[in-house]
Amino acid sequence: MNRTFLLLALGTFLALPLGAQEVVPRITLAGRGLVSLNGGLLDRFQGDRWSTDFEQMAADFSDTHLLLRLDRKIYGINRNQVAGTVLGLTFPDAESPAGPVYFSQAHFFWWSRNWEFLVGRARLENFVVEFPTLRDDDLLDYAFVRNAFLYTEAPEYELYGNLARLSLYQGQSRWQETFQVASLTQTDAEGRTEAELAGIQRVSAEVAYRLPEPLRFSGLFRKIGVRLDLQPLEDSGNQWLSTVTAGADINLSPNPLANWRLRVQAQYTPGQDGIAVQDLAIPARAARARSFGGVVSLSFLRRPYQVPRLLVALTGALRSYPDQEAWRAKAIAGVFYQIGAEVDVGLQYEAEAVSQGLRDALGFRNSHSLKFLFSFEYEALFNHYFTDRETLLNLEHGFAP
C-alpha cells in the first residue's frame, strides 16, 4: 500500500512540469543592437552651381530593434500546431516622421506543418530576394515594391503595415504560396499622416521554391520565385497599380564552409501616364511611374567549423524610368566579420548616381558614403519545449548570414 502510494505521488510530481508546459507559454526575447558611424560625400546643387559637401562622421543607431514572442503548442485536435503573438519595436532613421520609436511588430500568428497564418502589424513581404546590405532601406529605391500613398520619405511606412498573410507549404515545405492583403500608412507632403493603416491598399500573391534552412547548401537554388502586387488607386478612377517581381537566390558552390552565392531580382511596374521627371522626387509618384528595377549581388561566406565568420558582398542596383528618360544606379560593397558569438563588426561603402534629368528633382548627381558598423544580435528562449519553423530574428532584416 505504501509503495503504491509513493509511486503514485512520484508519478504525479514528475508529471507536473509536463502539464505546466501545456499552459505556460514559451517566451522568446530577441533583437539586435546596431550602430554605424556614417560619413561621406554628396555632390549637390546649391544656388547656381554644383558643390561637393563632406558629411561628417555621425552615429546612426537606426534599425536597432527588440522583439518579444509568446507562443504555445496547441494540443488536442490541433496537435503539432503553434499559436502566439509577437511585439516588436525599432528605432527609425533620425529624420523619419515615424518618430523616435516605431512599433514594427504587433501581430498574432498560427502555424502548422503545411500552413501559416499571420494577422496584425508586421514587416511587409514586398520583395522576393533579400540582399546582404547593412540595412534593408539601403536598397529601398531598387528592391522593394514602393508605397503608392506615401508623399514623404519614411522607410518604416514602406517596409511595415497592417496585414493578413496566409502561407501554404507543399513538397516537404519546398514549395510555398503566399497571399497577403495589407493596409499602408498614407501621408501628405509634410509627413502628416492622413490615414494610418485604414482599408486595403495592397493585395499580393507569391509562388516560390525554396530550400529548408537546414538544407540551404544542398541545392542550386536556395529560392526562386515570382510575385504580383496590386495597389488600388481610388484617386485615379479605381485604377490598379501592378508590380511584378521575380528573383532567384543561387548557390554557386555547395560547400557550407566556403560558400559563393548569387542573388538576382528584377521588377517591373507598368505605371501611370502623366508623371513628369520632377515628380520622381515624391515617393508616391515614383511608385506610380512606369519603371524597371534590377538588383544583383555576389557574396562569399566563410564558415570554419560551420560557424559564420566572414561575409564579403558586392551589390549593384538600377532603377530606370523610361517614360521620363531617367535612371538611378547604386553600388554597395560590404565586409562583415563576426568577432564572437553574434557580435559583428564591418565596413560598407555605397556609391549612387542619377541621370541628368533626375538630378534637379533629387538635388544631387552622385553620392558616396562609408559606414563602420558594430552589431550585437541575441535570441533567448525560456520554457523552450518545441522547435521553431524559423528564428524570431527573421522577422527583421539581417545582413549577417
Side-chain angles (χ1 to χ4, degrees):
M1 181 68 179
N2 291 337
R3 175 182 292 183
T4 302
F5 176 78
L6 289 174
L7 291 175
L8 181 61
L10 179 60
T12 303
F13 175 77
L14 293 176
L16 283 176
L18 298 176
Q21 287 180 337
E22 298 184 20
V23 178
V24 178
R26 182 181 62 169
I27 301 173
T28 309
L29 183 65
R32 167 176 279 143
L34 176 62
V35 177
S36 63
L37 302 177
N38 304 346
L41 297 172
L42 183 64
D43 199 5
R44 72 171 79 233
F45 189 74
Q46 292 184 337
D48 58 350
R49 63 186 180 87
W50 291 94
S51 65
T52 301
D53 295 338
F54 175 72
E55 297 180 342
Q56 295 183 351
M57 195 70 68
D60 180 4
F61 53 84
S62 62
D63 283 15
T64 292
H65 57 266
L66 176 67
L67 299 169
L68 174 65
R69 179 181 65 190
L70 295 95
D71 55 357
R72 177 184 295 126
K73 194 170 184 180
I74 303 176
Y75 292 95
I77 60 173
N78 296 316
R79 191 173 183 85
N80 296 325
Q81 297 180 9
V82 175
T85 186
V86 172
L87 300 175
L89 57 87
T90 186
F91 291 88
D93 295 338
E95 299 177 355
S96 174
V101 177
Y102 182 72
F103 283 91
S104 57
Q105 308 281 346
H107 63 257
F108 166 86
F109 65 89
W110 180 17
W111 59 264
S112 73
R113 179 179 179 181
N114 298 320
W115 53 267
E116 181 175 7
F117 175 71
L118 183 151
V119 60
R121 173 78 63 86
R123 188 173 179 226
L124 294 166
E125 287 196 0
N126 52 358
F127 58 92
V128 173
V129 176
E130 191 166 23
F131 291 92
T133 58
L134 175 58
R135 296 180 172 92
D136 47 4
D137 54 356
D138 293 337
L139 290 173
L140 184 61
D141 297 301
Y142 303 93
F144 298 90
V145 179
R146 303 296 299 273
N147 183 348
F149 307 91
L150 191 65
Y151 288 86
T152 186
E153 296 290 342
E156 292 71 31
Y157 298 159
E158 302 269 13
L159 302 173
Y160 300 95
N162 279 5
L163 56 89
R165 184 163 60 225
L166 175 65
S167 299
L168 305 176
Y169 303 92
Q170 290 90 31
Q172 297 179 335
S173 296
R174 299 194 180 200
W175 286 99
Q176 178 180 340
E177 300 87 38
T178 302
F179 307 94
Q180 175 182 272
V181 294
S183 296
L184 307 178
T185 302
Q186 306 170 60
T187 69
D188 59 17
E190 285 72 37
R192 294 187 296 266
T193 300
E194 292 184 336
E196 185 171 2
L197 306 169
I200 295 177
Q201 284 80 44
R202 184 174 295 165
V203 179
S204 312
E206 178 180 326
V207 178
Y209 172 87
R210 58 189 303 174
L211 289 176
E213 188 66 17
L215 304 176
R216 63 191 182 278
F217 298 104
S218 64
L220 177 62
F221 290 101
R222 289 195 181 196
K223 181 180 181 181
I224 182 169
V226 61
R227 65 178 294 114
L228 173 66
D229 292 88
L230 301 173
Q231 300 184 72
L233 306 179
E234 296 180 357
D235 58 347
S236 301
N238 292 324
Q239 178 183 352
W240 286 84
L241 179 69
S242 61
T243 301
V244 178
T245 308
D249 188 347
I250 304 169
N251 277 321
L252 297 180
S253 65
N255 186 356
L257 305 182
N259 178 250
W260 287 93
R261 188 172 172 186
L262 177 68
R263 283 169 266 207
V264 294
Q265 180 178 280
Q267 191 176 89
Y268 177 68
T269 301
Q272 292 180 305
D273 297 327
I275 296 178
V277 66
Q278 294 82 4
D279 296 332
L280 298 180
I282 304 172
R285 303 296 286 170
R288 300 180 185 208
R290 186 164 76 96
S291 70
F292 168 82
V295 186
V296 58
S297 178
L298 178 66
S299 63
F300 172 75
L301 172 64
R302 178 169 171 77
R303 299 173 74 242
Y305 308 105
Q306 299 194 30
V307 177
R309 182 66 65 188
L310 174 67
L311 175 66
V312 181
L314 179 62
T315 304
L318 173 70
R319 175 68 66 177
S320 173
Y321 303 94
D323 292 346
Q324 293 77 24
E325 298 183 352
W327 56 265
R328 62 191 303 172
K330 193 170 189 178
I332 301 176
V335 179
F336 310 103
Y337 185 77
Q338 192 166 104
I339 60 176
E342 312 301 336
V343 180
D344 297 274
V345 297
L347 179 67
Q348 180 170 288
Y349 168 74
E350 303 174 26
E352 187 171 22
V354 300
S355 64
Q356 181 69 41
L358 202 53
R359 293 174 182 177
D360 295 335
L362 298 180
F364 77 97
R365 56 184 174 183
N366 58 67
S367 67
H368 303 268
S369 66
L370 196 61
K371 301 176 181 179
F372 299 89
L373 69 101
F374 307 89
S375 170
F376 174 71
E377 189 178 78
Y378 53 92
E379 185 175 35
L381 296 96
F382 308 92
N383 192 32
H384 183 45
Y385 64 99
F386 57 89
T387 58
D388 291 318
R389 181 183 295 279
E390 59 183 17
T391 173
L392 177 60
L393 291 167
N394 281 358
L395 292 179
E396 300 288 354
H397 173 76
F399 62 87

